[in-house]
Amino acid sequence: MMKKVTTTIIGGGFSGMICAAFIEKEHGEVLLLERLDRLGKKLSATGNGQGNLTNVNFGSAHYFTQTLGERDKIEKILSNATDKSLVQFFEKLGGLFSADERGRVYPTGRQASSLTDLLRYHLNAGKTQISLSSKVTDIKHDGKYFILTVETDQNQEQIYSENVVICTGGKAAKNFGTDGNGYLLAKSFSHTVTPLYPALVQLKTDARKTKSLKGIRVMNAKVSAYEGERLLKTTRGDLIFTEYGVSGDAIFKLSSYVTQLTEKNSVTLCVDLLPEISEEILHTTLLEKSKNTSLNRQELLCGILNNQIGRLIMKESEDVKKIVENVKKFPIKVTGTLGFDYAQVTKGGIPLSEVNEQLESKRQKGLYFAGEVLDVDGECGGYNLQWAFSSAVAVAESLNNKHKPRGQV
Ligand SMILES: Cc1cc2nc3c(=O)[nH]c(=O)nc-3n(C[C@H](O)[C@H](O)[C@H](O)COP(=O)(O)OP(=O)(O)OC[C@H]3O[C@@H](n4cnc5c(N)ncnc54)[C@H](O)[C@@H]3O)c2cc1C
């Protein structure tokens, strides 16, 4: 028998679940299709399993897009469904939230999976039909309905739908069902996709320099990224030396600014290993210390820096001026990123110029997009779940208006 619904949401991740939750009862039948065997697998892994839902330092300045002249859309969508609306929504579902010193908002139980549970209970109590292990492999439009081909473990079926919302995420972390297939579904309606890059990701560096430092964490480092002489961005946070390069929250934040340049091998990081100590104090201390003839010169930075880093710096030069420069601007050449499999988000996606302010396609009426599949990515700190929420609310509101019962304004 042919299945017919008012709206089909493809993808039971954060934006898909939020969209389903915000579509009102009067709208008509809503079908939520998820290719994996559970809803919200990625949501349950967010924030190191603690669920960094949003950030109190909310605002469009924390977002990137490659679509020129379309920042107003981001601004409007965010201001219609803010960090406060997001928290209030989850409070209504029964959660409690608190923010840390960096403004990152978490559920008080610090369990990301509890966010998925609250949403799941809410959807199960409503009238959304949920189909798990159901992958959409094709969409067409016959002039009246979208015709979706859905593959399940047992069979293949076709669904007729008046509207379709693509909430398939990007192509970061494909073990959560996000391998970029949503872009292909969009391309069947002549949509384009901007260049895609992994973001919020570890960086590969010239291993000759950093490999020997593997495992060392520099707390609260100040890391600046340069392309040639041009400063791209400075961040503060932890930096961890690894087998392949560098990781840690300072690097994750920077990755959003440098990912598109890494292929050119033109990015250098300058790490201030002692941001709380001025160059003058360091210089005076080292000059004083170097007068001590009984001290092995190689150990000049002992008690000031991690010994391994200190010895590496001392190998480069024993001149105090140069040592200070190396401590305050420890240079590391970036050679790439760890790639989409390790990234938290995708930079790039469906251009904002191809959708209207409610995120409905300008190429095919009734086709909508929400979440990471669009050409919007946020900084580290809860901004990506916030975008998934705000964009999904915009779509749901548009669908609610479109399918208002007659006579209702
Ligand atoms: C490890 C990790 C930690 C993160 N931590 C944070 C954090 O703390 N805070 C934050 O703001 N952001 C975080 N992010 C980013 C955030 O999770 C995503 O930006 C957000 O989930 C995007 O929501 P979405 O609905 O667009 O996509 P997703 O949540 O990725 O959901 C897309 C869903 O679509 C399904 N799907 C794909 N194709 C099909 C298809 N053809 N048919 C049916 N289903 C399909 C997928 O299986 C998936 O379930 C993290 C990401 C990762 C990987």
Side-chain angles (χ1 to χ4, degrees), residues 10-16 33-36 40-43 45-48 51-53 134-137 167-170 172-173 176-179 181-182 185 343-345 370-373 381-386 388:
I10 309 174
F14 192 52
S15 64
L33 298 171
E34 168 53 50
R35 70 190 287 189
L36 301 181
K41 275 199 174 173
K42 191 185 283 176
L43 174 61
T46 54
N48 282 327
N52 176 198
L53 186 61
S134 302
K135 181 181 177 189
V136 175
T137 54
C167 293
T168 48
F176 295 110
T178 43
D179 56 5
N181 80 92
L185 297 176
Q344 288 196 356
V345 292
E372 204 179 303
V373 71
Y383 296 104
N384 287 293
L385 288 177
Q386 177 68 52

Side-chain angles (χ1 to χ4, degrees), residues 270-284:
C270 283
V271 185
D272 185 344
L273 295 161
L274 289 176
E276 320 301 348
I277 307 288
S278 71
E279 283 188 23
E280 293 70 34
I281 290 181
L282 184 61
H283 195 262
T284 319

Side-chain angles (χ1 to χ4, degrees), residues 7 16 110 116 269 373:
T7 294
R110 291 275 178 155
T116 314
L269 304 181
V373 71

Side-chain angles (χ1 to χ4, degrees), residues 197-199 201 203 254-263 337 347:
Y197 303 98
V201 65
L203 296 177
L254 268 188
S255 68
S256 296
Y257 294 83
V258 306
T259 180
Q260 62 276 46
L261 302 168
T262 55
E263 281 159 20
T337 75
K347 185 177 277 297

Side-chain angles (χ1 to χ4, degrees), residues 7 29-30 37 43 51 58 137 187 205 289 309 368 382 405:
T7 294
E29 278 189 281
V30 177
D37 59 356
L43 174 61
F58 170 83
T137 54
K187 279 183 178 171
T205 62
K289 221 172 160 183
I309 306 180
Y368 292 81

Side-chain angles (χ1 to χ4, degrees), residues 15 21 33 54 65 117 155 159 214 291-292 297 305 338:
S15 64
L33 298 171
T54 182
T65 179
D117 289 339
N155 59 10
I159 288 160
K214 183 179 143 189
K291 287 182 195 153
N292 179 354
R297 191 78 180 169
L305 279 184
L338 266 202

